Amino acid sequence: MKVRTWRVGLAVLALGAGPAFAADNSGWSYDNNVSGVAFASDCCEPSCADPTCSDDVACGDGCAAGGLFSGCGLAGPVESLSLASLMGLSDDSAIEVGGWTNIAYYNKNIPLSQNFDDLLSFDDIPDHANLAQQWFYIGKVADGSGGRDFGGRIDLIYGTDAQKTQAFGNPGAGVRGFGFYDASLDHGYYGWAIPQAYMEVANGDLSTKVGHFFTPIGYEVIPATGNFFHSHSYTMFNSEPFTHTGALSTYTGFEALTLYGGWTAGWDTGFDNLDGGSNFLGGFAANINENVTFTYLNTWGNFGWRGGKDSYSHSMVLVAKVTDKLQYIAQSDVLDATPNPNAGQRDTVGLNQYLLYAYSDIIGIGGRCEWWKDDGTSYNEITGGVNVKALSNLVFRPEIRHDWAPGADLDQTTAAIDAILTY
């Protein structure tokens, strides 16, 4: 589970694998990493399906280049917010700078969290309007198309999500305010995290990143900009790592096939190592045809805080464009974690399915159903929601979620809504 070791108890994301929501005829764009290891910036840029939208669009009419209230009042100054522009960077600059503000409200703890601020899910501060993610990033993609090139990236986050994305796999990170790297950067139930800090080198079809980076495992991602729903699946929070420290190479020299391979110092570590953490990280992404992509990624070895030697996990994700407006995603994860000094044996298996429909350039409709089994106890959830694009860079995501697990005496319905402003 993606919590600090001292919080492991009953109960408990991108970047994951696959575009969360992208339809050819819409202005929506959620792209977390269907064909490979993605940057958070891949899923934070407002898309524009129709840049010819008239400047005199009527208030409320919306257009592909904007949102429901584009053209109204102060919409222009808000939509023109850009950290890159404020820093004087041109549109064709190789340096990428940006960020977003994500404010969220939910009326109950999202399972497996049970108590206020217990760190057992992202959403453990109910009945508050929380600053979930205040995010900033700066980086440069290493482009090997013209020969050897160098790049790198740093991400910084403040908010209630930060403590769940810190390097809690480091030694000493079991108590708030302690631990190396960002594991000690706590501020009540808020905190700071540096989920990415890496260098990258590319040459031709081969690129390698070295440092601290997001896991490519799974479908859902940490950045709010990369997911359709505000809440996360059981699988994402409990059966997958969030970050790694190590090296990961990507090779794109084969047609319709991308290969990944590398080494990391266990799960969720930040430039440190716990209990001999050392594991392989790799797999492949295949474009089966122009509408279907399949990704398989696994970790094997010593996961550190999460499992001892010979631990194994994999995630398989199928993304299919059913129509120009409808997308189907299926994901299955398996985790077999062997005991070590900081973790006991744990076996989980999960199956997630998503249907995402681009009703218009302004409204998206989505559903998620999940079965997740943890050491013999089955948990289930079904979530429905909409994404409403108020402006080209402002999205609201209301949702209703129902969780049930007869073996854990769980039967709960939760309402949530958040807003994401990108710049």
Side-chain angles (χ1 to χ4, degrees), residues 235 239 332-335 347-351 371-375:
T235 302
S239 299
S332 179
D333 280 26
V334 170
L335 168 65
D347 296 310
T348 72
V349 59
L351 176 62
W371 166 76
W372 179 74
K373 190 174 183 178
D374 176 25
D375 291 335

Side-chain angles (χ1 to χ4, degrees), residues 278 299-303 307-313 336-339 345:
S278 175
T299 58
W300 176 79
N302 187 332
F303 295 167
K309 64 179 182 178
D310 295 326
S311 293
Y312 171 82
S313 78
D336 180 9
T338 61
Q345 178 83 29

Side-chain angles (χ1 to χ4, degrees), residues 166-217:
Q166 294 172 343
F168 47 79
N170 280 0
V175 179
R176 275 181 162 148
F178 291 85
F180 177 66
Y181 191 55
D182 61 358
S184 63
L185 303 180
D186 300 319
H187 182 203
Y189 52 75
Y190 281 75
W192 295 89
I194 311 170
Q196 295 203 113
Y198 64 83
M199 300 298 293
E200 183 182 23
V201 59
N203 191 357
D205 297 319
L206 180 66
S207 66
T208 301
K209 59 175 63 174
V210 179
H212 187 56
F213 48 84
F214 284 130
T215 186
I217 299 290

Side-chain angles (χ1 to χ4, degrees), residues 154-171:
I154 296 178
D155 290 76
L156 178 67
I157 173 178
Y158 177 78
T160 56
D161 284 0
Q163 291 179 340
K164 290 84 169 177
T165 63
Q166 294 172 343
F168 47 79
N170 280 0

Side-chain angles (χ1 to χ4, degrees), residues 57-69:
V57 60
C59 181
D61 288 351
C63 67
L68 186 63
F69 300 107

